[in-house]
Amino acid sequence: MTTIRVRIDGLPELIRALRDNAGLAQPLNKAFHKIGLQGSSDSKRRAPVDTGLMRGRITYEVDKSPLPTFVRIGTIGSGKVNYAAYMEYGTGLRHDHPTWPKKPHIVPPRALAKWAKRKSRSGEEFNAYTVARAITARGGLEPRRFLRDPFERRRTTYVRYLTSALREARLDG
């Protein structure tokens, strides 16, 4: 088994300082909202679009605890879209999800019937069977990375927002 071990010197002191600092919640909440707004906006621009349903449901949610510690970005809660994870990570042999098994993605043509019918209205003929067979032959769908890529590109900006929140609360030492 391969493992990675991370040690943070002074962690108990940091946790105590965070809990004792009543002025930290508001700056952190503000920073997480800024990250969420920017991240969801970037992700919407990169999201694959057919009907616009998934792109329209990308949003963010900041931790509601007294001292917020995270922000979620994606299709969350009632806005969840059942295929969003497959668009983000891909499918079958082509996916890059850390825990999904690598196995062929066999697409049943009936799963694409509505899509093919809708696409065929534009004049070009789309056959659900042919498209399903092509996806199966290439081993699945490629990852679209509409959530992860924007986050990775703006990582330093997000760290800056959080650092500013700590400075505002006077916790940066």
Side-chain angles (χ1 to χ4, degrees):
M1 179 198 305
T2 304
T3 61
I4 296 173
R5 189 176 184 156
V6 177
R7 183 175 146 205
I8 301 173
D9 292 327
L11 186 60
E13 293 83 6
L14 175 61
I15 291 171
R16 223 178 351 271
L18 291 174
R19 284 194 185 127
D20 294 344
N21 190 320
L24 181 59
Q26 186 179 2
L28 268 182
N29 194 38
K30 186 174 142 189
F32 283 130
H33 274 284
K34 210 169 173 182
I35 292 167
L37 188 61
Q38 195 165 54
S40 61
S41 177
D42 289 347
S43 294
K44 284 178 181 184
R45 276 194 294 280
R46 292 209 21 126
V49 177
D50 178 28
T51 64
L53 176 69
M54 183 175 68
R55 179 179 57 189
R57 294 209 176 149
I58 294 172
T59 188
Y60 72 94
E61 177 181 84
V62 174
D63 177 13
K64 290 174 179 37
S65 67
L67 185 65
T69 58
F70 65 85
V71 59
R72 283 189 185 101
I73 300 170
T75 57
I76 302 164
S78 63
K80 237 177 178 177
V81 178
N82 65 350
Y83 56 87
Y86 304 118
M87 292 284 99
E88 174 67 17
Y89 291 104
T91 63
L93 300 172
R94 303 181 87 115
H95 78 76
D96 64 1
H97 191 279
T99 62
W100 293 351
K102 292 271 188 184
K103 60 183 183 180
H105 178 189
I106 301 169
V107 182
R110 72 183 181 294
L112 296 175
K114 283 183 183 178
W115 174 84
K117 186 176 181 180
R118 190 173 58 252
K119 286 294 187 186
S120 293
R121 287 189 202 133
S122 65
E124 191 177 343
E125 186 64 34
F126 284 84
N127 181 302
Y129 175 78
T130 306
V131 174
R133 209 167 112 192
I135 293 170
T136 299
R138 69 176 178 244
L141 298 173
E142 288 288 332
R144 302 301 276 276
R145 298 186 58 94
F146 63 96
L147 291 167
R148 293 174 291 163
D149 281 353
F151 176 81
E152 289 168 6
R153 268 198 297 286
R154 292 209 192 252
R155 183 184 338 218
T156 56
T157 302
Y158 297 158
V159 168
R160 208 169 46 249
Y161 294 161
L162 294 169
T163 303
S164 292
L166 294 175
R167 279 197 186 106
E168 188 176 328
R170 293 176 180 74
L171 277 179
D172 64 339

